[in-house]
Amino acid sequence: MNRKSEKQFFELIQSAVWQRQPDETLFDGATQWTEIVDSLEVHAMLGIAADTIMSLPKHMRPQEEICQRIRRYVGSLVCEHYKHDKAISEIVCRLENENIDCVLLKGQALSDMYPMKNMRSIGDIDLYVGTDNYTKAMRMINEYCGVKADDVYATPDNIHGTAEVQSPQWMRGVEFEIHYKAADTAIQSICEDYNQWMHERMMQGPHRIVNIDGVAVKTPGTEWGAVYLFEHLLKHLRYEGVGYRQFVDWLLYLRAEQIDEQRLREYLQRFKILDAWQVLGGVLVWQLGLPEAQFPLWNKRKARHSQGRNLRYITDSANLGQGTAQSKGYYDMAASWRRTMRAVAYYARFTMFEYRLFPSDTLQRQFGRLMEKIK
């Protein structure tokens, strides 16, 4: 996106998050609506921004073909939310009846924080049950989904099992991930300690309780919930591709929960992600409009490293598993010397950004990646 489109992109998101009218002067003139709507969709922000787009004066809105596309997208979101709420409420009740504790991770656990709940883009349903109850829970999930499957067991090289609803027909496509570990982590060396700590928090709380289709559902709460959301964002940014929906999730969680900054600092330092927290806080404050005073552990000096080219690394990462900036062919060193030099320059710049996020882990990881490419 050019700078004008980028300003419009973030203005639409901010207006939706903070429930205010967009600055119409930014849309007075030619607007690259196809590019902006494409970017909103790939970053899973089109649902939340839809009402803001339609609130613009008619002559500033996208052409009718794009408006129809937005309406179809919104309609499908409403249907998906209904299906997911139904599935979550029924499964949580079944698990509780079998004395299986579960915690809903992300997804619908966050939707009620949005100005319009049904406008948060939707993925699969992540439920944490722990190792001891995993096999029994998966049997129940497979039965609910109408899936015939052999018994599944926790393995060292995975964190969850999956099952997709096959019947009834109108529920097809709803997918469950049943976690026996909380997460893969952005920093591999913390993985074991992090998952053990997360298991303790999942079992002991404190939890945030959300009402989904009349059922009280436990979700991560307070400081450990903030750490979980942020660490998941980091894993996507580093390995899979991040989306601004994940930044908005983080922002709305901070706005909704009372966070003890001292306890939060201890957790972030324990898992070596305090630097990343303070760097990426710049996105929440300067791109998404969160007041500095409302961002826990704000550090303006570190936050500036999230801007400029580094902000575009985030924007270029596409969304939620679609590929990081590093994975998009920048390191193809076989084509020509010119391309090789561009790749090396890009690699060096991105490494500096990653170093700001993960100073204790970056050099070793990037050196290993570079040696693999040279081989």
Side-chain angles (χ1 to χ4, degrees):
M1 288 187 288
N2 60 34
R3 290 195 174 188
K4 179 182 178 182
S5 294
E6 189 176 83
K7 284 185 178 180
Q8 293 168 324
F9 173 82
F10 286 116
E11 176 63 17
L12 291 170
I13 295 174
Q14 278 198 40
S15 300
V17 168
W18 299 102
Q19 295 182 279
R20 61 168 174 78
Q21 276 296 111
D23 180 357
E24 294 179 5
T25 62
L26 292 176
F27 300 88
D28 190 11
T31 299
Q32 301 297 319
W33 276 115
T34 299
E35 182 181 36
I36 291 171
V37 170
D38 285 347
S39 294
L40 288 168
E41 185 168 3
V42 81
H43 283 281
M45 285 277 92
L46 184 54
I48 188 175
D51 193 58
T52 303
I53 293 172
M54 296 305 182
S55 73
L56 290 167
K58 190 171 183 178
H59 69 280
M60 295 182 181
R61 294 177 207 161
Q63 53 267 46
E64 183 59 24
E65 180 182 349
I66 295 178
C67 288
Q68 290 291 349
R69 171 185 165 188
I70 294 171
R71 293 185 188 104
R72 288 193 297 270
Y73 186 90
V74 167
S76 67
L77 269 184
V78 172
C79 293
E80 289 300 309
H81 273 271
Y82 178 79
K83 292 194 293 185
H84 279 66
D85 284 353
K86 188 74 171 175
I88 291 167
S89 62
E90 292 179 347
I91 281 296
V92 168
C93 287
R94 292 189 186 194
L95 292 173
E96 288 180 348
N97 287 339
E98 295 296 323
N99 297 315
I100 298 176
D101 284 332
C102 65
V103 179
L104 178 63
L105 309 174
K106 310 185 301 293
Q108 298 300 85
L110 303 169
S111 291
D112 70 321
M113 296 180 178
Y114 277 68
M116 297 176 67
K117 172 185 174 181
N118 288 345
M119 292 301 99
R120 182 188 183 273
S121 71
I122 207 162
D124 46 33
I125 298 170
D126 296 80
L127 285 170
Y128 180 86
V129 298
T131 303
D132 292 344
N133 289 317
Y134 172 67
T135 299
K136 185 176 181 181
M138 277 303 300
R139 288 194 197 117
M140 295 175 63
I141 296 295
N142 286 330
E143 180 183 355
Y144 177 85
C145 291
V147 175
K148 292 183 178 179
D150 296 331
D151 280 349
V152 285
Y153 301 92
T155 60
D157 59 347
N158 202 355
I159 64 171
H160 60 70
T162 62
E164 184 175 320
V165 175
Q166 301 299 313
S167 62
Q169 187 68 27
W170 70 273
M171 288 280 284
R172 285 178 69 93
V174 174
E175 184 174 344
F176 289 91
E177 289 188 357
I178 306 303
H179 287 247
Y180 49 89
K181 294 180 184 177
D184 290 322
T185 51
I187 300 174
Q188 294 303 307
S189 62
I190 71 167
C191 193
E192 184 175 349
D193 182 33
Y194 179 80
N195 276 294
Q196 179 58 40
W197 176 74
M198 271 291 166
H199 175 72
E200 294 168 1
R201 299 279 68 77
M202 298 281 187
M203 295 300 103
Q204 299 171 15
H207 297 99
R208 179 175 175 269
I209 307 300
V210 296
N211 185 305
I212 297 179
D213 200 27
V215 176
V217 179
K218 291 191 291 188
T219 74
T222 63
E223 300 78 28
W224 71 274
V227 171
Y228 174 76
L229 268 184
F230 182 65
E231 209 292 323
H232 184 73
L233 182 158
L234 290 180
K235 186 197 74 169
H236 271 269
L237 175 61
R238 201 174 197 195
Y239 297 116
E240 301 175 10
V242 74
Y244 281 113
R245 187 200 70 189
Q246 292 176 303
F247 283 88
V248 171
D249 285 348
W250 180 25
L251 182 154
L252 293 177
Y253 185 91
L254 295 179
R255 196 172 70 173
E257 288 288 279
Q258 294 294 319
I259 303 295
D260 183 312
E261 290 202 12
Q262 182 56 41
R263 188 175 294 118
L264 176 65
R265 180 186 293 273
E266 292 171 2
Y267 293 159
L268 295 172
Q269 287 176 330
R270 174 176 175 177
F271 299 117
K272 306 176 185 179
I273 55 176
L274 176 60
D275 288 285
W277 177 279
Q278 293 178 322
V279 169
L280 295 176
V283 178
L284 268 59
V285 171
W286 292 320
Q287 272 65 54
L288 300 180
L290 183 70
E292 292 181 8
Q294 293 182 24
F295 183 81
L297 308 175
W298 172 250
N299 184 312
K300 189 172 183 178
R301 178 181 61 83
K302 290 184 179 180
R304 64 185 175 85
H305 295 299
S306 68
Q307 302 304 293
R309 182 186 291 117
N310 293 341
L311 179 67
R312 286 179 175 83
Y313 292 145
I314 298 170
T315 305
D316 288 348
S317 289
N319 179 60
L320 309 182
Q322 299 303 307
T324 64
Q326 285 200 52
S327 70
K328 292 185 173 183
Y330 292 107
Y331 303 149
D332 183 354
M333 298 187 180
S336 68
W337 278 106
R338 181 176 295 178
R339 183 165 182 176
T340 296
M341 295 308 295
R342 286 202 305 267
V344 170
Y346 182 93
Y347 191 97
R349 291 194 299 265
F350 191 90
T351 298
M352 287 304 299
F353 175 48
E354 198 175 56
Y355 178 77
R356 301 292 184 187
L357 301 175
F358 312 105
S360 65
D361 186 66
T362 294
L363 295 180
Q364 179 180 355
R365 176 176 181 264
Q366 292 292 359
F367 181 76
R369 285 171 63 94
L370 183 59
M371 292 306 295
E372 288 178 5
K373 290 293 180 182
I374 292 175
K375 291 176 182 177

